[in-house]
Structure formats: C-alpha cells, structure tokens
Amino acid sequence: ALADVVDPVAAADTKVGHVRVDGHGHVRGERPGRGGPNQQSAVGLVAEREANKDGRMLELEIEEEIEYWNIDGKLLKYAVSNVLANAFKYSARAKSPKLVISIRNNHLIIEITDFGIGIPAAEMPNIFKTFFRCSNVGNIQGTGVGLMIVKYAVDKHNGMIEMHSKEGAGTTITIAIPS
C-alpha cells in the first residue's frame, strides 16, 4: 500500500496540504479541514539511521489525495528512504530537500529535490551502476549501491526513474510508477 511509502501522511483521512518532516521523522504542518498541527511518525519517509542532524526539515507536498496504489510497499519504501537520505547527506548546510507526490498520466510520481553538491555531467551515465561514487563526494560516506537498488525497485514496479542534476546546484530524482 502507498501508506507504507509515505507512512502515515498519505493514509490521512483528508487531503494533505504542505507539511514538513524533520530529521527525526516527525511530520509537522497543517491538514486542510483539520485545523491544528499534524505530528505523526514518518519513518517511512526518512530512515532513522539517516536522521538529519542539522535542523533542516524535509519539505513534503502531496498534490492530491491518493488513497491506494498497487505497490510493493517495503521495496518502494526502501527506494524512497534511500533517495531522501542521499538528499540530506549530499546537501549539508543547504536549503531543505523537497519531496512532491502526485498523480500524472496514470502514474504515481515521487519527486525528490535537493540543493546540494549535484552530480558532474560526465558521471551521470554511471550513477545507477553498482559501487559507483561521484568524484565530487569528498569525505561523504557511502557504498555506491544505494541508487542501483533504487533503480531495481523502480524497475520491479515497471516504473521509470529520471535524474536531473547540476554540479554545485543540486539534484532532482523523479520516480514514476504506473497504475
């Protein structure tokens, strides 16, 4: 279920407006029609081991009510958590990463944008290869397997993954999962 991926925000009984997820996995914001703060666990969005420690919060926008989408929740939850962890990891001290969830052309769209170090253009063709790490990561820890697994998870859903990046400006990863 989609709630496994955007736990528990997408499972809310009303449309979700703009909310923020802090690095400890808590959602803070307003839900239309509810008035009052929404503060719930969102570990489906940000893995605890990658909890952001610099005070930034994930900007989350769910563009329309999504009640159910036929997905492997555990697999897609891992994929989204990995991309979000990377968004925080490779954009330290930058503007908060953003996650937008929407429906377009019968596809669930999950778009994650960070404003960090970006990916060198010459290295983009290698980004989903096993053990590949970009030349500009410096001392940022990683194994080079995360995005390969993300691609595998998206492929298992007959989905598509696109990446747009500019070195020094940030990266946007868009995942599209068909209905």
Side-chain angles (χ1 to χ4, degrees):
L2 182 62
D4 291 332
V5 177
V6 287
D7 170 45
V9 179
D13 58 346
T14 60
K15 289 186 179 177
V16 178
H18 293 278
V19 295
R20 292 165 58 88
V21 181
D22 67 22
H24 304 290
H26 297 97
V27 176
R28 302 182 192 288
E30 301 287 328
R31 287 191 295 182
R34 282 288 182 88
N38 171 20
Q39 190 171 47
Q40 304 175 37
S41 171
V43 295
L45 290 174
V46 182
E48 282 185 49
R49 65 182 173 74
E50 294 291 346
N52 179 33
K53 299 199 177 15
D54 65 6
R56 292 179 300 149
M57 299 176 75
L58 175 66
E59 296 289 334
L60 171 64
E61 182 179 334
I62 299 178
E63 293 184 349
E64 51 192 285
E65 190 169 355
I66 304 167
E67 293 184 18
Y68 181 80
W69 208 265
N70 188 21
I71 58 171
D72 178 333
K74 287 183 181 181
L75 192 57
L76 204 55
K77 180 178 178 178
Y78 173 83
V80 171
S81 293
N82 180 274
V83 175
L84 286 173
N86 283 350
F88 276 99
K89 182 166 57 170
Y90 295 107
S91 68
R93 295 178 302 281
K95 184 177 168 185
S96 294
K98 184 175 183 177
L99 168 63
V100 178
I101 299 172
S102 62
I103 303 285
R104 278 186 247 144
N105 300 322
N106 293 317
H107 284 75
L108 171 66
I109 306 297
I110 302 167
E111 186 174 87
I112 300 165
T113 301
D114 72 56
F115 305 92
I117 65 173
I119 299 165
E123 297 178 13
M124 288 290 288
N126 300 316
I127 202 70
F128 295 110
K129 291 182 179 175
T130 307
F131 303 119
F132 179 78
R133 306 245 10 245
C134 289
S135 61
N136 64 339
V137 298
N139 293 328
I140 301 171
Q141 291 188 341
T143 60
V145 297
L147 288 177
M148 183 270 308
I149 296 171
V150 169
K151 178 142 179 37
Y152 171 84
V154 172
D155 288 348
K156 283 294 183 187
H157 286 89
N158 296 313
M160 295 175 15
I161 185 166
E162 289 183 354
M163 183 177 296
H164 300 281
S165 188
K166 183 175 181 185
E167 191 171 7
T171 302
T172 296
I173 293 180
T174 304
I175 297 170
I177 305 296
S179 59

